[in-house]
């Protein structure tokens, strides 16, 4: 490889046989830059050193076939699927089309199955996974690869991904090292030209170097073209871009081939990579003399028993150089060969069809249904869109396009959903279909930053549905309530109330009505739902959607223990509803945070952040960053907390996403408290309220009241904040939850004159339900203990301070541990000076989860299935944490956990 010495060395380093951890490297570059050659080199090196190689090559015409890339990659190891756990095996076989799939497959379970399979394969030898032309790998396969890449830890696996420089690569666009395969230097370009069979000279060489712009493939092909044309280089004149010029050159190579070669070459070009083994029955064998002219022309090469194109551009040029009738005949021939592959057959029939055809449309609809059941939403939407184009009935076109819009929501591609909804409006006046397609657009818009536009669309849909007495009105209002929560706009609440009140009672019962009321007005109408929630949850039973919605309602109404129990009950199905965060997706993480399950909260944040980032859902990603930043601040990781909160604020418009803005500033305030910077803490907490003392956000702002009071005392702003706090209490009135009541009373105690503080401290701790918010409860005990010590009531202060310290240690809240330790020392308990966070709380969140599950007796494989990790990664974590915990056997984990997390069993 001329001029690629640095890149080659980097690739070789990645596939060294003694690697003991995972590697992910993204190779980016223009077509013809040499990505494929470098990937070939890596594969050859890995095989020579005894490693195993799995490969997939993207194809533009294959991009709409759900899990085609995954099938291509796993085809050599399909026999290994039998060793997977039953649920994983069933899910993976279903999406690969090996088994029938009666229900939608859980995408997380498919990812876990591939992760487990990869881990199992590495028991025999290190594994190299090579993905070339990843910009054309179908989205479901790419999602699985991204899932696996994020969870490879101790696996001896290297993932090399080749992608065109300008192409988006969802799931791999952030967080991974990239190796840019840029243009060759002038010196390297000249060396490469010198090595050609007929090295160009003079003006021809100058032209080639200028036109090729350092692209190796362009250099080679232009040199080859000019060797057979005019020696002055005129064959490379013209303003065409390099890639167009190359395709033209390749087409010219094919133009002079004999008919016996051109026909199979076109058939090969029309076939997808996964079609080739089947389609090969209609092609000459690899050694057949028909291929010889194409091999001499440098168009194809022998790849084992198959013939393949030497470069994707050659395939593209060969295909587009043919007439439509020639391409049509090729697709029909392939469809005839693929009778046992109905999805691929349907797409080849569609490629051969220009007029409406009911049979082909029906075949694509069946393909979409199979893709949907496998969780391949992008493939399903693409098939439905093409089925609509080929349907002879305008009514069926509108129906199919509507279904496509609903499926496309799960891809996160708002532009696609908007396009499909617009096409529905062009084809029908059916208000129900138009409403459903528009609702799909609105639901996806809720996860982006422009909430005013989303709310306007959703309320218009609700208004139109109400006028038509359509049940769609409640779906629209449920989505509008999400926007209302995110934006915090008060006028939006009035519109929701107006639309809801105009609906008959019979249409607004159950979980959706509870959702709309609680999400949009938790302190008013929503508060009255609290007594009914347990009954509604019991009625929901196995309905994952209703259970999740009701769990979110419970969280918003500050019934945190009920919320987490319901989330746990629905967990196996919670993320199986699609590949995107649904509704208030971060609510489960906030509920876990509030109940002291901080490691789980961080896991939720990480998953939502990864999915949202890959889909370009900036608001959903910001929500996840704000959640994670809050946990980090409480753990005392101040720098990381600030970085996460600032990322959240960059991603949103604070006037359209007040919930995120207030949450992020609360995290910044907690980070400042952890540093002892009370000026910054006060400014951040105070920003949760307007200058007049009104809440910036009707739900999140009130959670900041006690922190604001504590910072105000340090800043000498007692009177200002006392007025703000009482104003908030009056505004909340009887709708105040037990949690907010406790926070208000803690704030009053801190702001009161010393002689009047005790009744408020006692009120804040009076309700035993407060134990479901352990950190907040511990803060109040610490404040009360400090007050008692200053009143010289040392004996009464010690139990409160000790209990607070125990909670802070269990949670790993370092800054609060230090403060409680100092207070206990001042109270005369010198032994407290040696109290430090337990070894358990020093572990990472993921390691804490693994230890807790292992302590319950779960195997590595069972733990991996729960946490979406490979068994090897679980084992590696346990190997590393044993010395940290001071133990040598798995049987000792239970004692460690019970000793560290005393009283926390119900929460975990």
């Amino acid at each position: 490889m001329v001029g690629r010495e640095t890149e080659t060395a980097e690739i070789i380093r990645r596939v060294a046989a003694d690697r003991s951890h995972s590697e992910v490297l993204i190779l980016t570059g223009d077509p013809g830059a040499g990505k494929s050659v470098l990937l070939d080199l890596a594969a050859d090196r890995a095989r020579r050193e005894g490693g195993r190689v799995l490969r997939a090559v993207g194809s533009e015409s294959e991009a709409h076939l759900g899990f085609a890339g995954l099938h291509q990659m796993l085809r050599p190891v399909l026999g290994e699927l039998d060793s997977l756990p039953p649920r994983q095996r069933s899910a993976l076989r279903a999406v690969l089309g090996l088994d029938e799939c009666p229900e939608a497959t859980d995408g997380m379970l498919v990812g876990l199955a591939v992760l487990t399979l990869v881990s199992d394969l590495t028991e025999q030898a290190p594994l190299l996974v090579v993905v070339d032309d990843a910009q054309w790998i179908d989205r479901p396969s790419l999602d699985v690869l991204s899932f696996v890449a994020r969870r490879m830890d101790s696996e001896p696996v290297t993932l090399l991904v080749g992608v065109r420089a300008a192409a988006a690569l969802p799931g791999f666009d952030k967080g991974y090292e990239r190796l840019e395969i840029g243009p060759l230097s002038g010196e390297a370009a000249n060396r490469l030209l010198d090595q050609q069979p007929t090295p160009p000279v003079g003006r021809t060489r100058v032209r080639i170097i200028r036109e090729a712009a350092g692209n190796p493939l362009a250099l080679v092909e232009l040199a080859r073209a000019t060797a057979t044309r005019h020696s002055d280089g005129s064959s490379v004149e013209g303003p065409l871009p390099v890639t167009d010029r190359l395709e033209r050159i390749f087409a010219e190579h094919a133009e002079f081939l004999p008919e016996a070669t051109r026909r199979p070459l076109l058939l090969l070009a029309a076939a997808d990579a996964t079609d080739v083994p089947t389609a090969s029955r209609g092609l000459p064998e690899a050694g057949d003399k028909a291929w010889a002219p194409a091999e001499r022309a440098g168009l194809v090469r022998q790849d084992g028993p198959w013939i393949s194109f030497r470069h994707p551009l050659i395939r593209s040029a060969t295909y587009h150089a043919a007439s439509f009738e020639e391409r049509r005949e090729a697709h029909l021939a392939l469809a005839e060969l693929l009778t046992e592959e109905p999805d691929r057959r349907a797409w080849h029939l569609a490629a051969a069809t220009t007029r409406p055809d009911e049979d082909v449309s029906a075949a694509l609809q069946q393909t979409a249904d199979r893709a949907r059941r496998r969780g391949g939403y992008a493939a399903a939407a693409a098939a439905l869109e093409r089925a609509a184009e080929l349907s002879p009935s305008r009514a069926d076109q509108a129906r199919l396009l509507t279904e496509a819009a609903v499926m496309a929501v799960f891809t996160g591609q708002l532009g696609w959903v908007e396009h499909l909804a617009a096409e529905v409006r062009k084809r029908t006046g059916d208000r129900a279909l138009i409403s459903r397609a528009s609702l799909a657009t609105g639901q996806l818009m809720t996860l982006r930053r422009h909430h005013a536009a989303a709310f306007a669309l959703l309320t218009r849909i609700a208004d139109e549905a109400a006028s038509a007495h359509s049940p769609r009105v409640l779906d629209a209002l449920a989505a509008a309530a999400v926007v209302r929560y995110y934006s915090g706009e008060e006028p939006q609440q009035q519109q929701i109330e107006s639309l809801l009140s105009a609906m008959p009672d019979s249409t607004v019962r159950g979980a959706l009505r509870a959702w709309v009321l609680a999400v949009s007005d938790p302190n008013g109408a929503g508060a009255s739902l609290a007594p009914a929630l347990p009954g509604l949850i019991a009625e929901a039973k196995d309905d994952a959607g209703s259970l999740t919605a009701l769990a979110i309602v419970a969280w918003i109404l500050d019934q945190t223990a009920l919320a987490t129990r319901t989330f746990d009950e629905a967990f196996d199905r919670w993320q199986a509803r699609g590949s995107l965060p649904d509704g208030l997706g971060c609510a489960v993480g906030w509920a876990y945070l509030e109940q002291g399950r901080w490691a789980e909260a961080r896991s939720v944040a990480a998953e939502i952040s990864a999915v949202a980032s890959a889909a370009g859902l900036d608001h959903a990603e910001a929500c996840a960053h704000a959640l994670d930043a809050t946990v980090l601040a409480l753990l005392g990781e101040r720098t990381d907390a600030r970085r996460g909160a600032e990322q959240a604020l960059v991603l949103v418009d604070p006037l359209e996403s007040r919930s995120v803005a207030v949450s992020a500033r609360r995290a910044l305030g907690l980070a400042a408290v952890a540093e002892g910077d009370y000026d910054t803490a006060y400014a951040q907490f105070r920003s949760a309220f307007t200058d007049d003392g009104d809440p910036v956000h009707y739900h999140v702002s009130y959670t900041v009241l006690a922190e604001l009071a504590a910072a105000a005392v340090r800043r000498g702003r007692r009177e200002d904040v006392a007025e703000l706090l009482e104003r908030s209490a009056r505004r909340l009135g009887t709708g105040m939850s037990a949690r907010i009541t406790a926070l208000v009373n803690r704030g009053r105690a801190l702001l009161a004159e010393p002689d009047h503080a005790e009744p408020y401290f006692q009120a804040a701790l009076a309700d035993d339900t407060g134990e479901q918010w352990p950190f907040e409860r511990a803060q109040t005990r610490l404040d009360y203990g400090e007050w008692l010590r200053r009143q010289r009531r040392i004996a009464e202060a010690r139990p409160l301070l000790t209990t607070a310290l125990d909670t802070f240690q269990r949670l790993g809240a370092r800054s609060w541990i230090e403060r409680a330790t100092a207070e206990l020392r001042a109270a005369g308990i010198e032994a407290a000076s040696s109290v430090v966070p337990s070894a358990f709380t020093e572990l990472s969140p993921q390691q804490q989860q693994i230890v807790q599950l292992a302590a319950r007796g779960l195997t590595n494989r069972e733990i991996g299935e729960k946490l979406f990790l490979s068994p090897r990664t679980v084992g590696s974590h346990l190997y590393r944490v044993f010395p940290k915990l001071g133990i040598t056997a798995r049987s000792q984990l239970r004692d460690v956990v019970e000793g560290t997390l005393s009283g926390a069993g119900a929460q975990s």
Side-chain angles (χ1 to χ4, degrees):
M1 291 203 64
V2 175
R4 296 294 187 213
E5 292 78 13
T6 300
E7 293 88 344
T8 300
E10 183 68 15
I11 293 290
I12 295 301
R13 184 178 71 79
R14 304 286 177 155
V15 295
D18 62 347
R19 62 185 186 276
S20 58
H21 61 281
S22 64
E23 295 266 8
V24 179
L25 182 66
I26 315 297
L27 280 69
T28 66
D30 292 330
K35 302 184 297 298
S36 298
V37 180
L38 283 167
L39 293 174
D40 288 344
L41 182 150
D44 291 343
R45 177 63 177 257
R47 290 192 188 98
R48 285 202 307 272
E49 297 190 351
R52 198 163 190 171
V53 179
L54 296 178
R55 297 196 68 162
V57 180
S59 165
E60 191 170 9
S61 61
E62 196 176 41
H64 50 258
L65 292 172
F67 297 103
L70 188 63
H71 183 274
Q72 186 188 159
M73 186 182 85
L74 298 181
R75 190 169 58 202
V77 294
L78 291 178
E80 310 279 350
L81 267 57
D82 291 341
S83 64
L84 295 175
R87 289 177 66 239
Q88 296 180 31
R89 180 174 65 247
S90 296
L92 185 52
R93 287 184 63 85
V95 302
L96 294 178
L98 302 176
D99 289 334
E100 284 299 317
C101 163
E103 298 180 356
T105 303
D106 183 346
M108 297 284 282
L109 196 57
V110 174
L112 180 59
V114 176
L115 181 64
T116 304
L117 178 62
V118 164
S119 180
D120 289 348
L121 292 173
T122 60
E123 295 292 339
Q124 305 165 26
L127 179 65
L128 173 66
V129 179
V130 175
V131 181
D132 199 2
D133 280 320
Q135 72 277 357
W136 290 326
I137 291 289
D138 62 281
R139 181 62 183 273
S141 295
L142 203 59
D143 287 343
V144 170
L145 285 169
S146 173
F147 177 97
V148 172
R150 292 197 302 272
R151 287 161 179 80
M152 293 190 307
D153 183 10
S154 304
E155 315 294 336
V157 179
T158 296
L159 172 60
L160 300 180
V161 181
V163 62
R164 289 192 176 180
L169 197 62
F172 290 95
D173 53 350
K174 296 179 183 177
Y176 296 108
E177 191 174 346
R178 303 176 85 84
L179 179 62
E180 183 178 355
I181 314 301
L184 293 178
S185 67
E187 180 271 336
N190 275 297
R191 277 198 288 135
L192 182 58
L193 290 177
D194 286 339
Q195 294 184 18
Q196 300 313 301
T198 306
V201 296
R203 179 169 179 264
T204 299
R205 175 175 286 232
V206 172
R207 280 189 166 291
I208 290 174
I209 289 176
R210 184 180 70 240
E211 294 288 341
N215 184 288
L217 186 61
L219 288 162
V220 171
E221 294 305 325
L222 291 173
R224 177 180 295 177
T226 56
T228 58
R229 298 284 183 110
H230 304 294
S231 60
D232 65 355
S234 61
S235 62
V236 295
E237 293 284 3
L240 290 175
V242 168
T243 51
D244 290 345
R245 183 183 303 280
L246 287 173
E247 288 194 5
R248 182 177 174 182
I249 291 169
F250 294 140
E252 289 174 354
H253 285 324
E255 183 179 348
F256 301 103
L257 296 175
E259 179 61 27
T261 300
R262 291 184 64 215
R263 185 182 181 283
L265 195 66
L266 177 57
L267 198 64
L268 184 65
D272 294 329
T274 315
D275 294 336
V276 169
T278 304
S280 65
R281 294 199 298 266
L283 295 172
E285 293 182 0
D288 194 287
K289 62 182 181 181
W291 293 116
E295 286 187 272
R296 285 195 298 269
L299 300 176
V300 298
R301 64 184 175 191
Q302 188 168 347
D303 186 10
W306 320 116
I307 289 291
S308 63
F309 284 102
R310 193 164 52 81
H311 192 276
L313 285 174
I314 303 175
R315 175 177 182 259
S316 175
T318 302
Y319 182 81
H320 290 290
S323 68
F324 172 77
E325 187 57 35
E326 289 173 323
R327 296 198 299 268
R328 180 175 179 276
E329 290 177 3
H331 283 296
L332 288 173
L334 287 167
E336 187 68 26
L337 291 167
L338 293 165
T339 53
E340 296 179 4
E341 298 282 348
D343 293 341
R344 292 185 172 86
R345 180 176 183 274
W347 278 106
H348 281 297
L349 289 173
T353 305
T354 56
R355 298 176 181 175
D357 188 310
E358 193 166 352
D359 291 338
V360 178
S361 178
L364 286 168
Q365 290 175 58
Q366 293 169 3
T367 287
D369 189 51
R370 285 187 289 269
R372 178 191 58 78
R373 292 202 303 270
R374 296 195 300 265
Y377 297 103
L384 287 167
E385 184 177 18
R386 182 65 174 134
E389 292 170 357
L390 294 176
S391 174
S393 163
R394 285 183 68 83
D396 285 343
Q397 290 172 17
R399 174 182 58 80
L400 292 169
L401 287 166
T402 301
E403 292 177 16
V406 172
M407 288 295 101
V409 167
F410 294 104
T411 70
Q413 298 180 45
L414 181 59
W416 190 12
V417 178
E418 289 176 327
H419 165 73
L420 291 167
E423 291 299 311
V424 172
R425 290 191 293 272
K426 289 179 184 178
R427 284 168 172 78
T428 185
D430 186 329
R431 300 309 306 171
L433 288 178
I434 292 173
S435 175
R436 189 177 178 212
S438 298
L439 179 59
T441 305
Q443 288 171 329
L444 187 52
M445 287 174 69
T446 64
L447 299 175
R448 293 177 176 266
R449 62 188 296 167
H450 299 301
H451 289 131
F455 189 82
L457 173 61
L458 290 164
T459 49
R460 177 174 60 76
I461 295 168
D463 193 28
E464 292 172 354
S467 300
H469 305 290
S470 166
R472 195 73 58 195
V473 63
L474 203 54
D475 294 321
L477 281 180
V482 173
V483 180
R484 147 72 172 160
Y485 186 88
Y486 287 151
S487 72
E489 280 278 6
E490 287 304 315
Q492 292 179 353
Q493 168 58 21
Q494 297 163 14
Q495 287 180 260
I496 291 174
E497 285 180 352
S498 175
L499 286 164
L500 198 60
S501 64
M503 296 173 60
D505 288 343
S506 60
T507 64
V508 290
R509 294 176 181 168
L512 271 183
R513 179 178 183 276
W515 170 276
V516 173
L517 289 171
V519 170
S520 60
D521 185 20
N523 304 311
S528 63
L529 291 168
L533 269 180
L536 288 170
I537 290 169
E539 289 175 13
K541 295 181 181 177
D542 294 328
D543 184 341
S546 293
L547 281 175
T548 303
L550 290 167
I552 292 172
V553 169
W555 167 70
I556 286 178
L557 297 182
D558 285 329
Q559 294 198 25
T560 306
L562 178 62
T564 54
R565 285 199 303 273
T566 308
F567 278 128
D568 289 342
E569 184 179 347
F571 184 77
D572 287 341
R573 299 172 295 279
W574 175 55
Q575 295 187 60
R577 303 173 65 202
S579 58
L580 297 181
D582 190 19
L584 293 169
C586 273
V588 63
W590 287 111
Y592 287 158
L593 182 153
E594 290 160 11
Q595 206 183 35
R597 296 164 61 171
W598 291 357
E600 290 168 88
R602 292 203 67 196
S603 294
V604 169
E607 195 60 46
I608 290 178
S609 177
V611 172
S613 174
L617 304 175
D618 34 25
H619 178 85
E621 184 182 356
C623 288
H625 283 314
L627 168 61
D628 194 52
T630 304
V631 182
L632 288 168
L634 296 174
L635 290 168
E637 302 290 343
R638 302 180 292 270
T639 301
D640 289 341
R642 279 195 297 270
R643 184 183 300 114
E646 287 162 0
Q647 283 180 311
L649 291 171
V650 166
L651 285 167
V652 298
D653 178 343
L655 296 179
E656 293 204 47
S657 298
R658 290 177 176 85
S659 63
V660 169
V662 174
S663 297
R665 295 205 174 278
R666 179 187 177 218
L668 290 171
L670 289 168
V673 169
E675 286 183 322
D677 179 2
Y678 290 97
D679 286 341
T680 299
Y682 177 84
Q684 296 294 352
F685 294 143
R686 183 61 181 80
S687 70
F689 297 86
T690 67
D691 292 343
D692 295 333
D694 292 330
V696 170
H697 189 270
Y698 63 92
H699 181 246
V700 184
S701 288
Y702 294 123
T703 66
V704 181
L705 282 169
E707 300 291 356
L708 175 59
V713 171
R714 304 260 186 172
R715 281 283 312 277
R717 303 293 295 268
R718 271 189 167 88
E719 290 184 7
D720 293 344
V721 173
E723 183 180 342
L724 182 153
L725 187 146
E726 295 306 326
R727 181 187 179 104
S728 296
R730 288 193 298 273
R731 176 187 287 268
L732 290 167
T734 57
M736 198 185 306
S737 69
R739 179 191 178 201
I740 300 301
T741 299
L743 293 177
V744 166
N745 280 320
R746 178 189 167 214
R748 285 169 170 160
L750 292 168
L751 295 167
E753 293 297 326
D755 292 345
H756 301 103
E758 187 164 24
Y760 296 122
F761 279 128
Q762 292 173 339
L765 294 170
D767 192 341
D768 288 341
T769 63
E771 296 298 335
Q772 62 189 304
W773 306 291
F775 179 75
E776 293 169 6
R777 190 81 159 179
Q779 283 181 301
T780 304
R781 287 186 171 122
L782 175 58
D783 292 336
Y784 190 14
E786 286 178 337
W787 181 86
L788 287 168
R789 184 185 63 77
R790 292 190 182 106
Q791 300 299 310
R792 301 187 182 281
R793 294 160 59 179
I794 305 299
E796 295 173 74
R798 286 171 178 167
L800 287 166
L801 295 172
T802 300
T803 304
L805 178 60
D806 287 344
T807 300
F808 294 141
Q809 285 182 317
R810 171 165 58 80
L811 297 174
R814 296 181 185 178
S815 299
W816 285 267
I817 291 170
E818 294 169 3
R819 184 176 150 202
T821 300
E823 281 298 322
L824 274 169
R825 188 181 302 114
I829 303 181
E830 293 299 332
S833 61
S834 63
V835 176
V836 295
S838 72
F840 179 84
T841 59
E842 293 291 303
L843 302 179
S844 71
Q846 189 175 75
Q847 288 172 335
Q848 290 181 26
Q849 287 181 280
I850 291 170
V851 167
Q852 288 176 296
L853 292 171
R856 295 180 195 171
L858 275 69
T859 66
N860 288 2
R861 184 157 287 208
E862 290 168 336
I863 295 170
E865 189 152 4
K866 280 186 172 292
L867 301 183
F868 302 102
L869 299 170
S870 72
R872 180 193 289 269
T873 295
V874 173
S876 176
H877 277 301
L878 288 173
Y879 176 80
R880 291 199 295 267
V881 303
F882 273 27
K884 296 179 182 179
L885 298 175
I887 61 174
T888 57
R890 199 179 184 108
S891 59
Q892 297 171 277
L893 288 173
R894 182 179 293 276
D895 292 338
V896 170
V897 172
E898 289 180 351
T900 307
L901 304 180
S902 56
Q907 296 177 14
S908 59

